[in-house]
Amino acid sequence: LSSLDGATGNKTYSPQVGDSVVYIPKAHYDTIQKFPTGGNSSVPWKTWPTNSPLPVVRCTVKDIRYRFPYDDYYRRRGEEDDRCTSLVAILSLVVTGIPEFSTNRVFPWPKPEFISRQTRSSSLSFEVSIFLNSCVDFILPENLYLWRIQKLEAAIGANNNDPVGLDITSYYNEHTNTEDSVLKTYASKILQMNVSEDESEYHFQHSGYDALRIAWQTG
């Protein structure tokens, strides 16, 4: 996969050792729900400290190993989209930054910046498995994540803090079994922004995940 196109959001992102990435637990949970077999059941947020929610964390990719899909993936369900038929990359991640929260935030997601994680205990590390599928990405390049949030907040701010009616571009992988395919783009409009959420999982709180309701304009 092309690292440059993946880092700019035009293709599926293929992490490399040393990359700085953003991990989104709630998006990972959705992928686990759809693909619960084959070692994709890791729930790292369950072991994280609970002094503050960690709906997104910045990580460094320390190691990558690969695995071919095996029978459990193919036998999971009859639907083609619910089967993993691609190479699986198992990422070893170390948390390097945590989100910064403020009481006067007008947006339902953390500020688009990270503060260095400082702790006297051992480093916070975990593994996740990624592969081609139609789920929302739970691993993003840090620069792409920050750029998207910053641009979105700037556009909403320029519209008197009202996101309704703003034009945006949506990306979707229409061919989950085709490697290195360019993501399909759709002109879209924001219909609604949910500023509150009801999450029972502590580290899903204040993520902004699913905060925007949009309409695709397929023409």
Side-chain angles (χ1 to χ4, degrees):
L1 298 176
S2 169
S3 295
L4 179 60
D5 285 332
T8 55
N10 294 314
K11 292 185 179 180
T12 299
Y13 172 53
S14 179
Q16 308 296 311
V17 172
D19 283 1
S20 183
V21 300
V22 174
Y23 169 68
I24 308 171
K26 180 62 184 295
H28 187 196
Y29 172 80
D30 281 356
T31 303
I32 292 172
Q33 292 298 103
K34 194 170 186 179
F35 299 91
T37 60
N40 193 44
S41 57
S42 170
V43 285
W45 61 87
K46 292 287 190 180
T47 62
W48 290 356
T50 56
N51 53 313
S52 177
L54 300 176
V56 294
V57 290
R58 184 184 64 199
C59 304
T60 296
V61 181
K62 303 300 289 186
D63 186 51
I64 305 175
R65 63 186 191 275
Y66 298 93
R67 181 183 63 220
F68 288 99
Y70 46 82
D71 287 347
D72 279 347
Y73 282 101
Y74 294 99
R75 289 198 297 258
R76 176 68 183 102
R77 292 171 184 161
E79 294 294 332
E80 184 68 24
D81 286 346
D82 291 342
R83 294 184 294 166
C84 173
T85 58
S86 78
L87 189 68
V88 178
I90 304 170
L91 310 181
S92 296
L93 304 174
V94 175
V95 176
T96 61
I98 59 177
E100 180 179 351
F101 294 98
S102 60
T103 57
N104 60 347
R105 283 286 287 169
V106 298
F107 302 108
W109 49 76
K111 294 174 64 175
E113 58 187 65
F114 292 93
I115 56 178
S116 296
R117 180 176 182 269
Q118 298 179 351
T119 176
R120 296 178 181 177
S121 61
S122 60
S123 62
L124 191 60
S125 59
F126 58 98
E127 289 190 343
V128 296
S129 298
I130 62 172
F131 47 87
L132 290 177
N133 61 75
S134 60
C135 297
V136 174
D137 291 335
F138 59 85
I139 294 288
L140 289 171
E142 180 190 9
N143 64 325
L144 179 61
Y145 171 85
L146 295 178
W147 178 82
R148 284 178 171 174
I149 298 295
Q150 290 164 355
K151 290 295 185 182
L152 177 61
E153 290 186 359
I156 294 174
N159 198 42
N160 296 317
N161 286 331
D162 183 6
V164 176
L166 288 179
D167 294 317
I168 62 172
T169 300
S170 302
Y171 293 83
Y172 183 71
N173 185 2
E174 291 189 314
H175 307 288
T176 56
N177 292 326
T178 302
E179 292 189 2
D180 212 23
S181 58
V182 176
L183 300 180
K184 179 73 173 179
T185 59
Y186 291 93
S188 309
K189 280 188 179 293
I190 297 178
L191 301 180
Q192 180 181 352
M193 181 173 71
N194 300 318
V195 296
S196 62
E197 56 186 351
D198 183 18
E199 288 287 357
S200 58
E201 190 70 52
Y202 184 69
H203 290 300
F204 294 172
Q205 296 175 11
H206 312 300
S207 68
Y209 186 76
D210 278 343
L212 298 179
R213 181 185 176 194
I214 68 171
W216 292 12
Q217 301 174 17
T218 60

